[in-house]
Amino acid sequence: MNYKMTMVLIAGVAVSAGACTDSKRARNAATFGDRPADIACWSYGTEIYSGRSTGKVEYGDGGRVAFVDEATGRYTTVDGDCRVVYINGDAEEEAQSSAPPPPPPPPAEVPGKPVPDA
């Protein structure tokens, strides 16, 4: 009897985990569909990716975005602070990951010229 209950419990957990994934995918599909998007990502203030997706962008936990790159036609994932702007004809919608893009780096020091105060 104990073995059967364990199997039923494991099956229930597996089904519920799949349902969460399906509901998240359905929500993203209903919200954004298969529209292309302009994507720019930064890491520690340095731009690490800038390009366009061919369709929907999927968001993972921890700031990861996944999409098919328009320039290469390859499935691409990027970890970082990303700005995603969906393209819809004349109107554009912006969806942003949990963290805003980092501030620009401070101005470089030029020999012989003082650095302005911030």
Side-chain angles (χ1 to χ4, degrees):
M1 182 70 176
N2 197 10
Y3 176 75
K4 288 183 180 181
M5 287 300 286
T6 303
M7 288 296 138
V8 169
L9 181 62
I10 290 172
V13 169
V15 168
S16 66
C20 292
T21 303
D22 289 342
S23 68
K24 186 175 181 180
R25 287 181 183 161
R27 184 190 72 219
N28 285 345
T31 305
F32 302 112
D34 282 331
R35 293 184 289 164
D38 288 326
I39 302 167
C41 298
W42 297 267
S43 179
Y44 296 102
T46 302
E47 187 173 72
I48 58 173
Y49 178 82
S50 180
R52 181 173 281 189
S53 72
T54 59
K56 181 175 31 178
V57 178
E58 294 185 10
Y59 300 91
D61 295 332
R64 174 177 286 178
V65 293
F67 54 93
V68 176
D69 190 315
E70 183 180 68
T72 64
R74 300 177 83 183
Y75 184 74
T76 305
T77 59
V78 180
D79 284 321
D81 298 323
C82 296
R83 189 179 112 234
V84 178
V85 179
Y86 285 90
I87 301 165
N88 185 19
D90 295 334
E92 296 182 359
E93 287 183 39
E94 185 172 331
Q96 195 164 353
S97 68
S98 58
E109 188 174 326
V110 178
K113 289 189 177 183
V115 177
D117 292 335

